Amino acid sequence: MIVLRNLHKTYGSHPSVDDVSLTIAERGVTSIIGPNGAGKSTLLSLVARLIDKDAGTVTIDGLNIDTTRSEVLAQRLSILRQDNHIASRLTVRDLVSFGRYPYSRGRLTAADQAKVAEAIGFLHLEDLAERFLDELSGGQRQRAHIAMVLCQDTDYLLLDEPLNNLDMKHARGMMQLIRRAADELGKTVVLVLHDINFASWYSDHIVAMRAGRVVHSGPCVDIMQAGVLSSIYDMDIRVQEIDGKRISLFYE
C-alpha cells in the first residue's frame, strides 16, 4: 500500500500540498479529484519522487521513497505525467520499450521483448506498433504512453490526467483499459481526473482535494453525494443514480 504522512509542499508562500495524510490500499483504481489548483498533480509527483517534498513521509509497501534506490523504486512504481511530449521521432514499439529500462538498461532481452509485445497487445496497438508517434492521433499517442507505463510491470501505476485531450468516446475506452489493468493484471492504479463521472463509474475509491488538503476520501458511493461534491467544487451539484452507479449534474 501507499502511505502518506503529513506531506507538505510549498511554492513561494502558497502551500500546494498541505499536511496530507492518506493511505491508498493495494489493487483497484483510486481517482484523485478536485478543482484546479487543489494540489492533485503535485501530490502524485511527490509520491513518485519527481519533486522534492518539504516535509512528511511517503512509503510504498513499507519502502521509504527517500531512502530507496531509484532502480528499486522504478520496479515498484511507474508514472505517466501530464507533459509526456517526446521530441525524438520514435515508433510506438520504441516508446513502449522504454518501460523496460529499469530492468534492461537499454539492452532488451527476449523476456523484455515479450513484455513489450504484451503491453502493445493489451492497449490494442498491434496495427500501430511500427508507426511514428507524430503520425498518430492524440488518443493513439496516449494509449502508447499508457502501454509504456504498463510495460514497466510495476505493482503501482500513477497516471496524471490520462484523459487529457481525449473526446468522450476515447476517454471511455481509456478508462475501460485502466479498469482492466486493475482487474486482470492486479495493478494498483492511482490517477488524477477532472471528470468526476468517469471517476465514479470506473473507480473503487475517490480522494477529493481542495486547497492542498484531502477533504474527503472513501468509496465512490460516499463521495458521490450532492452535499459532498457541492462542498468540493463550491457550486450546486446534484447526483443521480443509473444502473447502480452515481453521476453528477450541475445547475446554474
Side-chain angles (χ1 to χ4, degrees):
M1 67 178 64
I2 300 175
V3 179
L4 318 180
R5 288 289 177 263
N6 306 115
L7 207 57
H8 288 267
K9 180 63 179 179
T10 300
Y11 292 104
S13 59
H14 175 70
S16 184
V17 171
D18 188 7
D19 195 27
V20 168
S21 293
L22 179 68
T23 298
I24 298 174
E26 295 178 77
R27 300 183 183 269
V29 177
T30 296
S31 291
I32 304 175
I33 66 169
N36 290 340
K40 306 181 296 296
S41 295
T42 301
L43 184 70
L44 215 63
S45 294
L46 290 170
V47 173
R49 206 169 69 180
L50 295 180
I51 58 176
D52 294 329
K53 55 185 172 51
D54 296 330
T57 61
V58 178
T59 60
I60 299 173
D61 291 340
L63 297 174
N64 188 317
I65 67 166
D66 292 333
T67 57
T68 301
R69 299 194 316 273
S70 295
E71 59 269 26
V72 174
L73 191 61
Q75 294 180 18
R76 305 297 291 273
L77 177 149
S78 51
I79 183 167
L80 178 70
R81 305 175 67 170
Q82 281 189 60
D83 181 12
N84 53 30
H85 176 71
I86 294 179
S88 302
R89 196 157 195 253
L90 301 173
T91 66
V92 169
R93 189 179 303 279
D94 292 336
L95 176 70
V96 177
S97 298
F98 285 163
R100 299 308 300 164
Y101 188 82
Y103 309 90
S104 67
R105 292 297 187 266
R107 298 181 178 181
L108 298 181
T109 65
D112 291 321
Q113 295 285 9
K115 286 290 185 182
V116 172
E118 182 181 313
I120 287 173
F122 193 86
L123 272 295
H124 308 306
L125 292 165
E126 296 95 332
D127 293 343
L128 302 173
E130 309 309 326
R131 294 270 299 275
F132 288 102
L133 294 176
D134 59 7
E135 298 172 348
L136 305 182
S137 69
Q140 291 169 334
R141 280 195 301 274
Q142 193 74 326
R143 276 195 288 142
H145 280 92
I146 296 288
M148 176 187 67
V149 172
L150 194 62
C151 191
Q152 198 170 327
D153 196 23
T154 58
D155 294 329
Y156 298 92
L157 279 66
L158 309 183
L159 308 176
D160 193 359
E161 299 195 28
L163 306 187
N164 264 1
N165 303 314
L166 300 185
D167 62 27
M168 186 178 295
K169 178 180 178 180
H170 287 94
R172 182 192 65 174
M174 181 63 72
M175 290 303 299
Q176 289 171 335
L177 289 167
I178 290 168
R179 185 71 252 179
R180 281 184 57 213
D183 295 339
E184 298 177 18
L185 304 180
K187 305 296 185 183
T188 302
V189 186
V190 184
L191 63 160
V192 171
L193 287 180
H194 277 291
D195 192 310
I196 55 180
N197 289 329
F198 277 123
S200 171
W201 206 265
Y202 291 100
S203 304
D204 300 295
H205 295 87
I206 294 177
V207 174
M209 295 187 68
R210 182 181 171 98
R213 291 180 171 268
V214 172
V215 291
H216 296 281
S217 178
C220 294
V221 67
D222 293 346
I223 309 302
M224 293 298 291
Q225 305 280 348
V228 172
L229 293 178
S230 296
S231 68
I232 295 168
Y233 292 96
D234 195 24
M235 60 186 297
D236 185 16
I237 297 178
R238 315 288 175 85
V239 173
Q240 181 177 338
E241 189 165 307
I242 299 177
D243 294 336
K245 300 278 190 176
R246 297 189 174 198
I247 63 168
S248 64
L249 307 166
F250 72 88
Y251 294 84
E252 294 292 343

